[in-house]
Structures are given as structure tokens and as C-alpha cells.
Amino acid sequence: MINIPKDENGKLFIMLGGETHNSACTSREYMKNVWDKAEALHCNTVLAPVYWELLEQKEGVYEFTMVEELIEDARLHGMKLVLLWFGAWKNGCSTYVPGWVKQNQLRFPRVLDENKKPLKILSMFDSEIGAVEKKTFCKFMSFLKAFDLESHTVLAVQVENEIGVLDAAMDYSLGAKRAYRDEPEEVFMATHYAKYLNRLAKAGKAIYDLPMYTNVWLREESTEKPGTFPSGGPIPEVIDVWKKHAPCIDFIAPDIYTFKFDKVAEAYTRPDNPLFIPETRRDKWAVANLYKAIGKYQAICFSPFGLESIGEDKSFITQKLHTNASDKNVSSKMIQDYLADSYQMLSNMMPMITSYYGTQYMTGFCQDEGQMTSHIILGDYRIRIEYYHGIDDNNEFIPGAGMAFLGAQGENSGFELIFIGYGYRAYVEPLNNLERIDFLTLEKGYFTEEAQWIQTMYLNGDEQHIQMEEIPTAVRASFYKY
Ligand code: DGJ
């Protein structure tokens, strides 16, 4: 059974989050930037790494103070945490293993490429790494249980980060070759990485049963060969291999930096895999894709990468300016404001949103580059969305986006639609061409922190349109049939 993140009352918890820069959590002082930004953005969760190399600098000697401080600070700021276990593999490589692992190549041999050249990647074969990492990971889970079971600040653990072999299609070491059966190299690596992670997750869960997942470095183009992206990582082509061999990994979570958002979201939204986006762009597309992720794909986590840099035009750690407008790391104050308003609105609506999860009566949409219209179907209705502005790299507009919720049928087959978002008009018509509908009431308003709808204006006459503002807003319409 899939274990999904729940709050302390056992209720589904949808994460409106952000992931810190990789090195952020090594400095409590630096982390103040993260907490400030997370609060300004109205995040409910921060995704933050923990580093094996710092937790066990000497073999068998464990030091969890850094994690304790991270959890304490999250509590102080009213945030939940997802901890990212930077263990044996991070972005394919083994840069986060302790020095005593890096330097002992007898106990911990390397992946060899086709020319027998050792890579910066630990091999799983003929190695002590599996046993050693399992022991440390179990210590970590025991620490979490002792320190956090009651307050339940940590809601999930990511096991490793973007696993897979880079710069070779597979591990060509002797140990790997012995294990190799005649199969595509990528499938061989996927099978063994999946089994490895399954053993880690299984042992960790036996101590403290938190949801566990692993994230994915995607293949951007179908022409890319395994090794140019991490070979064996759980990309859509081998996700079933992973599902088969890693049942203790609750879900597989794509890092979505590509513009093919729908293609990726569709591949990772399955009955056995809820969509969890641990990393995504922090540019203007982050705002737009948020509405689609939650509304259309019922995602359980949305989290732009480099949380503390959202709203900044520079790298927070190096202070280097981003000058290329199409850089995924470019952000701006406007993006920050849109995201903050959107997270606030979604948080306020959360009881309603979670009640729509698992139903077909909620959807989300957003504008692509060059697109001015979207068509969606919700229940028995067809909705045409017309966006206000064209989007390209050279203009300042945030792509239009929104969500729609279809309410229960009222008297005389009436129904209600709530629209949220910005930058569009919506036109609703019945799928059944013989039916006619019209507005009964049309209200502009907002949801309070207690999830109550407050109407601020009745719209009729010239304003009788589902017409959103340029900034995140909400409109509630009831219809009757005639
Ligand atoms: C993907 C990795 O998973 C992250 O840890 C980070 O390195 C980002 N890439 C940087 O864009």
C-alpha cells in the first residue's frame, strides 16, 4: 500500500513547498534566509537535505545536531519538512558519502566505464556500501523517530537524489558483470538500484514508517543515451522495473525542469504513483504549473528548487547575477508575489481542495508559450478559457493559470463553479447542446484562513463574466438551467 504524507491528525497533507539549495542546511545562520522566504511565500513545507558525510564523519560515530536544529527551526516557523537523504548517490555521483568511504576503494569500489576508467560513482557490486549505508540510514530513522514522532514535523524522506550512472550506460566493474544478465544496460542498472533502495527503505521503515520516495533526473530528449542522463534512474521508460523491484519506495517523484510539463506529469500520475514534484523551475512557469499540478494532476507536493532564491535575480549562495532570461533559475519579485498569493489562496482553500482529491470535479489549467485558449471539460460542462496576454520570453507577463471546482447540483439542476487563478476569462456551456444555462449569482471574493468564502462584490450587468484579475483571485458562480 502506498504511504502518502499525512499531517499529525492522519489527514492527507498537500505540500505547497520549496526545496533549499543543496548546501543551505549546513549553516543555521544561512537557513534564516530559507525560513524568511518560506514564510513570505506561505509555504507549508520545506524540502531540505541531510548529508551523510556530515552525520557520520567517523565510521560508527553519529552526529545529528544539524538535523535536530533543522527540525526545531521548522517547528518554530510552523513548517513541515521533507528530508532528502543525500547518501550514496546524489545526481548520479557519490559526492555525499563520508571521506572514509570515498578513500577506501577496497571496501567501496567504483563504477567502471566501458574503458575500465573508475567514475566518481560508488558501485553496488562486490561492495560493503549496501550494508554500511543501511546501518547509517537506520540510525537516522531511529533518531527521527525519537526526536519527531510526536510533533510529526518530518512528513517524508527522499531516499538518495537523482540516482543513476552518469558517463556510462552501466557499471562495467567485474562485480557488476557477474550480476549482469543479457538485458538492456539501463534495465540492469534500474533493477539493481531499485533493489538497493528497496532494502534501504524497508529497513528504515521497519524503524519509523514514514513515506519514502526517490526523485528522478529525466531524459530531456528521446535521442539522449543512458549515461548522458543517469542510467537506471526511474525515468518513465523503466518506471515499471522500479515499481516491481522497489515496493517499499512509496512513489517516484520527477524533477520537472522541462517545458513538457504535462507529458511528465501524466507519466508519474498513476494509481500506484501520486504526483509529487520535489523540484521544479523557480521562474514564471512555476506559478502557472502550480495550478495544473494541484488542479489537474492532484499532486501531493509542488516545490520549486532553490526556495530562498525565489524572487531573486541572483544565486543566493554565490550572489552571482542571472543574466540569461531563459535560465530556469531566473526569478523576480513579481514571480515571488504571484507564488505567495497563490500558495496563500490554496492553503486557505485546503479543506475544500483535499475533499476534491480522488474526484473528477476539479481541474487545473495554464497557458503555454504562444497559446491564447484552453478547452477543458468538467462534469457535464465544456469550459473555454481565454487568456489575456500572449506569453514569450521577452514579455513580463506570468502565464495565465487557474483551477475550477464543480459544486453539487442544487435545485432545478443548478450547479456551482468556483474559479481561482489569474489572467483569463472562462466561458461555460453544457455538453448537451439542447440545454441552456445562465448565471443565477456571480460573486467575487476570497477564502479566509478558516476556509470560509467571503463575498466582496456581486457581479452583474457589464461585469457578468467569469473574468479573473491579473493577480490570483477567486470567483464563485451559480447557474440555473432553462
Ligand atoms: C537537481 C538536483 O536534484 C538538485 O539537488 C540540484 O542539484 C538541482 N538539480 C540544481 O538545479
Side-chain angles (χ1 to χ4, degrees), residues 243-380:
K243 287 286 170 192
K244 179 173 171 203
H245 295 293
C248 294
I249 294 292
D250 293 295
F251 39 89
I252 291 169
D255 294 342
I256 313 186
Y257 292 101
T258 165
F259 288 109
K260 295 172 191 150
F261 185 89
D262 279 295
K263 193 170 170 230
V264 177
E266 271 159 27
Y268 288 93
T269 307
R270 324 182 343 160
D272 59 358
N273 203 78
L275 183 63
F276 184 108
I277 307 172
E279 293 181 40
T280 193
R281 311 170 69 87
R282 59 176 174 271
D283 60 8
K284 62 188 176 188
W285 297 100
V287 189
N289 287 334
L290 164 70
Y291 288 83
K292 219 184 221 179
I294 302 289
K296 183 171 177 187
Y297 297 103
Q298 307 192 354
I300 55 174
C301 174
F302 186 84
S303 159
F305 180 80
L307 162 60
E308 63 271 39
S309 293
I310 294 171
E312 310 289 328
D313 57 1
K314 58 180 190 294
S315 154
F316 222 82
I317 288 190
T318 62
Q319 303 292 313
K320 189 168 160 275
L321 284 175
H322 295 131
T323 45
N324 176 356
S326 62
D327 183 341
K328 68 182 190 310
N329 296 321
V330 166
S331 199
S332 68
K333 183 69 173 55
M334 180 159 78
I335 292 169
Q336 177 181 332
D337 291 344
Y338 269 69
L339 196 60
D341 288 355
S342 303
Y343 271 6
Q344 173 79 78
M345 184 161 63
L346 294 180
S347 295
N348 292 357
M349 296 174 72
M350 211 40 107
M352 180 180 133
I353 293 176
T354 49
S355 77
Y356 274 88
Y357 267 49
T359 77
Q360 296 170 348
Y361 301 115
M362 169 179 77
T363 193
F365 45 87
C366 74
Q367 180 177 19
D368 279 334
E369 192 158 339
Q371 182 190 17
M372 293 303 290
T373 319
S374 292
H375 296 274
I376 53 181
I377 289 182
L378 195 57
D380 296 333

Side-chain angles (χ1 to χ4, degrees), residues 34-71:
V34 172
W35 303 123
D36 286 351
K37 191 56 66 78
E39 277 186 352
L41 284 168
H42 305 291
C43 291
N44 59 21
T45 309
V46 169
L47 285 77
V50 294
Y51 319 93
W52 184 8
E53 63 171 344
L54 300 181
L55 300 182
E56 194 185 358
Q57 296 186 29
K58 199 162 166 263
E59 188 168 8
V61 180
Y62 306 97
E63 173 54 62
F64 292 112
T65 312
M66 197 181 272
V67 193
E68 264 180 40
E69 291 175 352
L70 181 62
I71 298 175

Side-chain angles (χ1 to χ4, degrees), residues 19 22 86 90-91 161-162 215 255 257 279 305 328:
E19 182 170 321
N22 290 165
F86 282 9
K90 152 82 171 71
N91 296 24
N161 190 89
E162 294 190 343
N215 65 332
D255 294 342
Y257 292 101
E279 293 181 40
F305 180 80
K328 68 182 190 310

